[in-house]
Amino acid sequence: MTLKIYLSGEIHTDWRDQITTGATGLNVTFDSPVTHHDASDDCGVAIMGAEENKFWHDNKGANLNAIRTRHGIVNADIVVVRFGEKYKQWNAAFDAGYAAALGKSLIVMHGPEHQHPLKEVDAAALAVVETPQQVVEILNYVLNGTLP
């Protein structure tokens, strides 16, 4: 069995690299949103033309990014959503809700400081973890039935 994993959420740390490296040898494939912040913000105006109003600038980018995000979540077997410490990631919460609404297996990752504010998101998840290594261990267990 090959599992398709969609890695959603904060883009300011190397958590995705830690998971993909840790999952070497497992029968998994990974997908994610565009993680280059400026490219993600400016893709709409770079492709479809400039906007004077920042709302429409952001709207164009959000819509283009939604094409990739929706495709990734719909085609995933497991969706991992990471909430970082530095920024409020409303998009990550949206992705978690979308994945839950589609009945996707959802793993949520965040530190203890987000336990209370994310209690509803956590309740929709099949696993709530704090580290990328825990995600790798879940994938190994699901695929091979082995414990760390």
Side-chain angles (χ1 to χ4, degrees), residues 124-137:
L126 296 178
V128 179
V129 300
E130 291 186 18
T131 69
Q133 183 59 36
Q134 289 174 304
V135 174
V136 171
E137 291 168 0

Side-chain angles (χ1 to χ4, degrees), residues 18-64:
Q18 291 179 49
I19 291 172
T20 57
T21 299
T24 299
L26 295 178
N27 200 6
V28 294
T29 61
F30 293 99
D31 194 10
S32 68
V34 172
T35 58
H36 183 277
H37 201 140
D38 291 339
S40 176
D41 284 350
D42 298 334
C43 63
V45 295
I47 295 169
M48 297 183 289
E51 291 289 344
E52 289 184 29
N53 184 307
K54 182 68 170 149
F55 173 85
W56 294 113
H57 175 112
D58 289 346
N59 184 268
K60 280 183 176 180
N63 287 334
L64 282 188

Side-chain angles (χ1 to χ4, degrees), residues 4 6 70-80 95-107 124-126:
K4 297 177 188 173
Y6 188 78
R70 287 179 188 177
H71 181 268
I73 291 173
V74 165
N75 289 303
D77 298 305
I78 298 173
V79 177
V80 178
D95 290 355
Y98 185 57
L102 292 173
K104 299 296 175 174
S105 295
L106 177 62
I107 300 171
L126 296 178

Side-chain angles (χ1 to χ4, degrees), residues 81-85 89 107-119 121-123 127-131 134:
V81 181
R82 163 127 171 93
F83 293 87
E85 300 165 8
Q89 288 113 36
I107 300 171
V108 173
M109 183 173 26
H110 61 75
E113 70 279 1
H114 287 108
Q115 181 180 351
H116 179 73
L118 291 174
K119 63 186 177 296
V121 173
D122 289 351
V128 179
V129 300
E130 291 186 18
T131 69
Q134 289 174 304

